[in-house]
Amino acid sequence: MAAIVALLRPQTVLSKFVSGSGSWAVQYPNYGQPSFALMLEGSCWLALESNEPFLMEPGDYVLMPATPGFRMGSDLEALERPTMRIAEATPAREVRHGIQEDEAAVRMLGGYFVFDPTNAPLLVGLLPAVVHIKADDPGAERLTWIARAIGEESSTQRAGGDAILTRLVEVMLIEALRWRPVHEDAAAPLGGLLAGLADVRMAKALRLIHEDVARRWTIEGLADELGMSRAAFAARFMQVMGVPPMEYVLRWRMALAKDMLWHDGLSLGEVAHGIGYQSASAFSAAFSRSVGVSPSAFARAGRVDALPTTQNQTGA
């Protein structure tokens, strides 16, 4: 999980308090960037896009790796007639919903940050739309402490604050993404990377791939490492991860290659060797097929969003 978070390179954290009083509900359009929320006092309902709403109670934590459109409100009746709002990633001490004059019945800490666009579309696609960790879940206390620390650090202008916030968000993501649901009414079932990490055998396969990406992996080789037949391993990996094993190996190699080219400035030969290709030409051909642009063009690009892509990398 640490290797995945390292490729996402989270940064630029902004947090604010959100409160509400009386009967209220708001609706936000797709934001696209990651966000989190920690419920401090009271409770409210949260519904992602057209999904069924779930209740957030004191101590609950929510992480949305690519914040979709959502509704949030004091009660289910109000949730049916929300007020449209726009998510603003701008400094504000507190955002109040509902009756402005009354004492807040609901208060939470919300935060936004960004992932490095080099690999965000690939990796976020392997994460669940929402991670809902309830107050009595294992690990919830650590996440509460980290979220509060982010809130305190982002509200001050002390030296080294950006570096501290980046580290806190990295730890928060690792903690959140290694969580396993213990409640049957979890907001969303495990899928993708979380499901893979929760499955003992698939977690071992992922660890092998991540730790030795340059190895000439085959389905047979991975299956042998896990003590499974080729067919059983391939079927199980596809069922849990949603992609065939060798497709995942390719995606992981390309993610590492893009990170090396974009951030480390390595030569094509060095990158090719680092991720298991026998020659720069073989790597270049594979990269061009997978990414849609040659590694040389990718490395020369002044900005990632200048590259051809069919995915929204900037959010709404």
Side-chain angles (χ1 to χ4, degrees):
M1 184 55 69
I4 295 163
V5 172
L7 283 181
L8 288 172
R9 296 177 182 263
Q11 56 187 318
T12 314
V13 184
L14 176 73
S15 68
K16 62 184 71 176
F17 290 102
V18 179
S19 60
S21 180
S23 180
W24 59 272
V26 291
Q27 181 170 344
Y28 287 92
N30 171 52
Y31 179 65
Q33 298 290 355
S35 65
F36 68 93
L38 173 68
M39 183 62 71
L40 303 173
E41 302 171 17
S43 61
C44 75
W45 292 88
L46 180 65
L48 304 186
E49 296 182 329
S50 60
N51 294 333
E52 288 297 314
F54 61 91
L55 187 64
M56 284 189 65
E57 299 177 292
D60 284 11
Y61 169 94
V62 164
L63 169 70
M64 294 184 281
T67 309
F70 67 90
R71 291 172 292 140
M72 180 172 62
S74 59
D75 55 87
L76 292 175
E77 184 178 349
L79 211 61
E80 296 300 317
R81 50 179 195 282
T83 300
M84 293 298 300
R85 297 289 294 266
I86 300 294
E88 297 181 1
T90 56
R93 184 170 182 81
E94 185 161 337
V95 176
R96 168 60 72 92
H97 300 303
I99 302 173
Q100 301 294 308
E101 299 78 13
D102 290 357
E103 183 178 351
V106 175
R107 197 160 187 258
M108 70 181 75
L109 173 67
Y112 299 94
F113 51 100
V114 297
F115 289 141
D116 188 292
T118 309
N119 282 309
L122 165 66
L123 297 177
V124 169
L126 292 172
L127 299 175
V130 60
V131 177
H132 178 203
I133 301 178
K134 298 184 74 64
D136 57 352
D137 283 351
E141 290 185 3
R142 290 193 298 274
L143 279 164
T144 295
W145 182 89
I146 296 168
R148 288 182 182 273
I150 290 172
E152 293 173 5
E153 191 64 42
S154 62
S155 65
T156 64
Q157 297 295 324
R158 292 182 293 179
D162 289 345
I164 291 174
L165 281 169
T166 296
R167 297 298 176 267
L168 284 172
V169 171
E170 288 175 350
V171 175
M172 179 183 70
L173 285 170
I174 292 172
E175 285 287 347
L177 297 178
R178 69 182 184 181
W179 160 82
R180 305 291 174 264
V182 296
H183 296 273
E184 293 182 0
D185 60 344
L190 287 180
L193 281 172
L194 290 194
L197 294 170
D199 184 292
V200 175
R201 286 182 167 177
M202 295 308 102
K204 182 179 179 180
L206 292 174
R207 186 171 63 252
L208 289 168
I209 294 167
H210 293 173
E211 292 179 352
D212 193 6
V213 70
R215 183 169 168 178
R216 299 188 70 180
W217 290 113
T218 62
I219 295 178
E220 291 83 354
L222 285 166
D224 287 345
E225 292 280 356
L226 273 58
M228 300 176 69
S229 70
R230 180 188 187 281
F233 167 69
R236 181 61 180 166
F237 194 98
M238 181 68 189
Q239 178 187 16
V240 173
M241 294 295 298
V243 295
M246 298 317 297
E247 174 65 20
Y248 183 84
V249 171
L250 175 63
R251 291 187 185 187
W252 185 250
R253 284 174 172 162
M254 293 302 108
L256 291 175
K258 288 194 289 183
D259 194 70
M260 293 176 186
L261 291 167
W262 189 254
H263 296 287
D264 299 336
L266 300 181
S267 69
L268 297 191
E270 290 171 322
V271 176
H273 177 75
I275 63 172
Y277 285 87
Q278 299 301 303
S279 66
S281 60
F283 160 65
S284 183
F287 188 95
S288 298
R289 286 194 303 270
S290 179
V291 180
V293 64
S294 73
S296 297
F298 185 91
R300 288 194 304 267
R303 294 183 59 185
V304 174
D305 59 9
L307 299 173
T309 179
T310 58
Q311 293 175 289
N312 175 12
Q313 297 186 14
T314 59

